[in-house]
Amino acid sequence: MENRLYIGGTWTAAKGTFDVIDPSTGEVFASVADADADAAVRALDAAAAAQASWAATAPRERSEILRRAHELMHERAEELARLTTREMGRPMAESLGEVAYAAEFLRWFAEEAVRVGGEYRVAPGGDYRILTTRQPVGPAYLVTPWNFPLSMVTRKVGPAIAAGCAMIIKPAEATPLSALALGRLLTDAGVPEGVLSVLPTNRAPAVTNALIADGRLRLLSFTGSTPVGKKLMEQAAGKVLRTTMELGGNAPFLVFDDADLDAALNGAVVAKMRNTGESCVAANRFIVHEAVAEEFAAGLAERLGALRLGPGLDPETEVGPLIDERARDRVAGLVADALERGATLRTGGKVPDGPGWFYPPTVLGDVPVDARVMREEIFAPVAPIAAFPDEESMIAAANDTEAGLVAYAYTRDLKRALRVGEALETGMVGLNRGLVSNPAAPFGGVKESGIGREGGFEGIDDYVELKYLAVDM
């Protein structure tokens, strides 16, 4: 099926294909159908035709589709995990973890599908009633990234199905196979004809432009880089198209002088190394009190330096390759810049010989705040550490960025934890915890890290419109 497009429930031939690369070898391992603007319009035709009947489907029926999809994901976990490992390189253990995480979004929104409510109120004058209801916004265009090719789809598909929105999924060019597999799975779970399309493409602008220009599209939900998100928002403004944006991060990881260092180091490994560091919520800058900076740097270097680098399908691998050669070369440049500015190399920092796009876990100490690695999102297993003298300077450094997705802070002082949590300019904060993502919690950022929230009770809000009925008495 991979060499065909999935449009409205039908596998359809495309005019061309593009290659999918295994990042552990740098070699082609699949060819996938390549959608164009015509395919995009046909997908929207199907979505628009199906929207009214899909919106009228009983909430319980949509809930049951999501429940069955959740069960199917667990039944097909091994197959899905191997596919994502081939596409984006990470170890199988992490891919299996993503399958479980992705499936939880389906279960969460299966439970939320039957709880989309409204209100009945007496108008202040008493002469009529205020009735509010929530209705599906309509056909949605869901654009997902390569780094979590399953869960970033289910995090959008879950609320779309729960709310009753027809949808068009455009997966990242690097990882289209996972989305196509999910398309098959959702159909097997009972998603009706016309409601779902999956459009892999290496001509994303043509597909996106065609959809945004069409007034039948009602929602654009994008997860990806901040520069691309800004361009999409500009395009969407021309149609006053509703958008949700989950964009880039530059997560600070604060370690105060009273922190439990062993807990902080364990949390740092989780926050930095999940998905080989290729995560928008990965710890990007380690902002450490100068009293514990040396001990923290030594401990982190020991832990990261001991991790085994290798192909994701090798059961002994703990760190896989980066997504492509460009990503590897970019991170090598970030590390070189930091060293030129006076940072010290504690472990890693050298591109290994051999095939694939590997970069070793790397720890940099004494990193100056103007180094690129402290200013840009790294998206790789590199941990830069900078020392600061007090709480005030640490918070100021953490907030000195246009991004505001997530932050992490380690301290034994409850008052400090709450004080710092409120002061950090991010949409999420992990307090003495290196992992914040959970389908039951609202995921999203402030400043240039995005608009809206995904997951949690709030995750369905962008997929419904609030309608007010004034009922005369």
Side-chain angles (χ1 to χ4, degrees), residues 126-140:
D127 54 336
Y128 71 96
R129 300 297 180 261
I130 296 170
L131 180 65
T132 62
T133 185
R134 288 174 170 81
Q135 298 178 324
V137 67

Side-chain angles (χ1 to χ4, degrees), residues 426-466:
T426 57
M428 302 174 287
V429 180
L431 293 173
N432 295 320
R433 181 173 175 81
L435 180 65
V436 298
S437 301
N438 190 300
F443 187 105
V446 300
K447 300 197 284 189
E448 292 192 6
S449 284
I451 298 171
R453 295 295 184 270
E454 295 186 306
F457 300 117
E458 302 83 356
I460 203 167
D461 290 348
D462 287 311
Y463 294 82
V464 294
E465 294 278 16
L466 182 66

Side-chain angles (χ1 to χ4, degrees), residues 40-41 43-44 141 168 199 206-215 217 241:
V41 172
L44 188 53
Y141 182 39
I168 300 166
L199 300 181
V207 168
T208 298
N209 293 346
L211 291 172
I212 291 179
D214 194 314
L217 188 70
L241 178 65

Side-chain angles (χ1 to χ4, degrees), residues 168-432:
I168 300 166
I169 302 168
K170 191 205 77 63
E173 179 183 347
T175 56
L177 298 171
S178 298
L180 289 167
L182 278 175
R184 287 193 293 273
L185 184 149
L186 290 165
T187 299
D188 293 343
V191 172
E193 184 176 345
V195 170
L196 173 67
S197 295
V198 183
L199 300 181
T201 182
N202 67 354
R203 293 178 281 184
V207 168
T208 298
N209 293 346
L211 291 172
I212 291 179
D214 194 314
R216 296 174 297 173
L217 188 70
R218 299 301 173 83
L219 170 67
L220 165 61
S221 180
F222 172 77
T223 299
S225 73
T226 300
V228 174
K230 289 179 178 180
K231 291 179 181 177
L232 291 174
M233 289 176 69
E234 290 177 1
Q235 287 182 260
K239 289 288 184 180
V240 196
L241 178 65
R242 176 182 290 205
T243 62
T244 70
M245 296 280 154
E246 196 271 280
L247 306 178
N250 187 4
F253 190 105
L254 288 75
V255 182
F256 291 95
D257 52 344
D258 65 342
D260 178 335
L261 275 190
D262 192 53
L265 286 165
N266 290 336
V269 174
V270 172
K272 177 73 260 183
M273 295 306 299
R274 186 184 180 204
N275 214 50
T276 315
E278 295 175 311
S279 170
C280 57
V281 293
N284 209 67
R285 302 167 289 145
F286 288 84
I287 296 171
V288 184
H289 192 281
E290 59 186 18
V292 294
E294 173 55 34
E295 186 178 355
F296 181 83
L300 189 59
E302 180 181 2
R303 282 167 167 79
L304 296 195
L307 297 176
R308 187 177 185 278
L309 193 66
L313 293 177
D314 183 338
E316 295 186 5
T317 290
E318 295 171 292
V319 181
L322 299 181
I323 189 63
D324 56 29
E325 185 176 18
R326 180 181 177 185
R328 187 192 63 183
D329 292 347
R330 177 180 172 274
V331 72
L334 291 176
V335 171
D337 173 78
L339 294 174
E340 288 172 5
R341 294 173 186 266
T344 56
L345 183 64
R346 307 298 295 251
T347 190
K350 184 179 184 298
V351 175
D353 296 329
W357 316 129
F358 293 94
Y359 196 86
T362 298
V363 176
L364 300 169
D366 307 310
V367 181
V369 294
D370 61 347
R372 287 176 55 208
V373 77
M374 297 289 284
R375 313 299 303 178
E376 301 177 21
E377 190 172 23
I378 301 170
F379 242 62
V382 174
I385 301 170
F388 293 85
D390 52 42
E391 178 182 317
E392 183 179 5
S393 63
M394 292 171 70
I395 293 173
N399 290 338
D400 185 21
T401 174
E402 294 82 7
L405 187 58
V406 66
Y408 305 90
Y410 276 75
T411 174
R412 286 188 173 99
D413 185 333
L414 178 60
K415 289 183 179 180
R416 170 181 273 170
L418 295 175
R419 185 169 64 243
V420 170
E422 292 181 0
L424 290 168
E425 297 172 353
T426 57
M428 302 174 287
V429 180
L431 293 173
N432 295 320

